[in-house]
Amino acid sequence: MSVKESVTEAIASSASAPSRPRGARVREWISAYGVYAALLVLLVLNAGITEHFLTLSNLRLQLIQAAPTLIVALGMAIVIGTKGIDLSVGAVMALSAAVMPLYIGYGTAPAMLIALLVGVVFGLLAGFLVAVVGLQPIVATLAIMVGGRGLANVIGGSIKSIDDPGIVALGRASLLGIPYTVLIAAVAVVIVLFVVRRTTFGLFIESVGGNKRAAELAGVPIRRVIITAYVVCALLAAVAGVLAAARSQASDPKTLGLLMELNAIAAVVIGGTSLNGGTVRVMGTVAGALLMQLISATLISHNVPDSMTQMITAMVIVVAVFAQVGRKRQ
């Protein structure tokens, strides 16, 4: 029997569960579909009360602003699927953006590749600390977050402008009216969706997060899966850092990616992915990132203070987490 068949059989054998009370079923529905309902309601509401909301320029702007959070959240969803967490994604964004201006003289492609390589290196470090050393994910990535942000400030120093035409075009130009930033985010969604749903690695992610002991007995390479998950997460964070720097035409190690880890985790949780691991809801994560952006944009357009925006977002997160209380892993 192959490893994939063993994992599938192990998951199927644990799928049977007694019928759940009505409250639990309601919470499951909210967790699975509530984000889509909330997004639809907010879209309809804005169409009626927000001036110029349905204009092409505004919708384009909302997608551009949501793209970096979405890209990072996709990687975060993979890590959370393994029952982990990555608090270092904001620091990786800042560090990748800080490194890029140092190598622009070698050309556009080398500068961006080195920036992405920084993400891979930090993903390997996080994965090694979690999978091999055995540190708790929150401890390992918190250390990397603090150290990475400090290293970004050492390397980047003050704000550095980015005037390379190729990098600037990546953040500002578009193809057939669709910004490159949005196109890259869409490609990332398709790739992650395919990996999670159609590959053995996607099955391994959910098996490791759902029941690590059972996955180990089924022959799943636990360490390799966890390390790969953190590498993918950090690589996507580096991509987001490059795009953010390209759009602003500057690298600011102090503010770029600040609190991005919290936004990414919020998008994943709101999208229905359980913090207990075992599931990766890719489209839910997409909807969660769009919902967070839309909430912020709606309140700002109606002159609601930023503090109130943060409080409302916090309430949405609490509701999403509450919906997961009592959920049993399949």
Side-chain angles (χ1 to χ4, degrees):
M1 182 181 294
S2 67
V3 173
K4 183 174 181 180
E5 291 172 342
S6 300
V7 174
T8 304
E9 183 177 342
I11 294 175
S13 64
S14 62
S16 59
S19 59
R20 297 166 185 167
R22 184 174 181 180
R25 292 199 299 271
V26 171
R27 285 196 299 269
E28 281 216 355
W29 187 93
I30 294 174
S31 179
Y33 305 107
V35 63
Y36 305 110
L39 186 59
L40 179 60
V41 168
L42 202 52
L43 285 170
V44 173
L45 181 65
N46 273 281
I49 67 173
T50 303
E51 189 176 0
H52 306 303
F53 175 76
L54 292 180
T55 61
L56 186 60
S57 60
N58 178 66
L59 295 176
R60 187 173 182 266
L61 177 62
Q62 300 307 318
L63 290 175
I64 291 173
Q65 292 179 339
T69 300
L70 171 56
I71 292 172
V72 177
L74 290 171
M76 187 68 73
I78 291 175
V79 169
I80 289 177
T82 66
K83 205 174 182 179
I85 200 79
D86 192 346
L87 300 181
S88 67
V89 289
V92 171
M93 285 180 64
L95 189 57
S96 298
V99 166
M100 191 164 55
L102 302 179
Y103 295 93
I104 287 180
Y106 295 96
T108 302
M112 289 193 295
L113 286 175
I114 290 174
L116 298 181
L117 182 61
V118 168
V120 172
V121 170
F122 273 76
L124 284 170
L125 176 59
F128 176 80
L129 291 176
V130 173
V132 180
V133 178
L135 292 181
Q136 291 291 330
I138 192 170
V139 174
T141 57
L142 179 62
I144 295 174
M145 178 186 77
V146 176
R149 179 70 66 174
L151 184 59
N153 280 286
V154 171
I155 294 176
S158 58
I159 301 175
K160 287 185 172 60
S161 62
I162 297 176
D163 54 7
D164 179 81
I167 296 177
V168 171
L170 187 66
R172 299 279 181 168
S174 60
L175 177 65
L176 301 177
I178 304 175
Y180 284 134
T181 301
V182 177
L183 286 173
I184 292 172
V187 170
V189 170
V190 172
I191 293 175
V192 172
L193 187 64
F194 175 80
V195 169
V196 169
R197 292 189 177 180
R198 300 293 182 183
T199 68
T200 303
F201 177 67
L203 180 63
F204 285 173
I205 290 172
E206 296 189 347
S207 63
V208 170
N211 191 325
K212 184 181 292 187
R213 178 59 179 164
E216 185 178 10
L217 293 174
V220 175
I222 304 292
R223 290 182 175 180
R224 191 188 311 164
V225 170
I226 293 176
I227 291 173
T228 303
Y230 280 93
V231 169
V232 171
C233 184
L235 177 60
L236 288 173
V239 171
V242 169
L243 292 176
R247 179 158 179 79
S248 62
Q249 297 182 261
S251 169
D252 184 0
K254 291 182 174 62
T255 61
L256 197 151
L258 194 63
L259 298 181
M260 178 57 77
E261 55 278 351
L262 302 183
N263 292 334
I265 294 170
V268 173
V269 173
I270 291 172
T273 297
S274 173
L275 290 172
N276 290 323
T279 60
V280 181
R281 298 184 185 274
V282 178
M283 296 312 298
T285 299
V286 174
L290 293 176
L291 180 63
M292 288 183 59
Q293 170 59 33
L294 200 54
I295 290 173
S296 177
T298 301
L299 297 176
I300 290 173
S301 65
H302 291 278
N303 300 316
V304 176
D306 185 60
S307 57
M308 184 61 68
T309 300
Q310 295 173 350
M311 292 173 63
I312 293 175
T313 302
M315 291 174 59
V316 173
I317 296 172
V318 169
V319 171
V321 174
F322 174 75
Q324 295 180 6
V325 174
R327 285 183 62 190
K328 297 179 181 178
R329 293 191 295 271
Q330 298 297 323

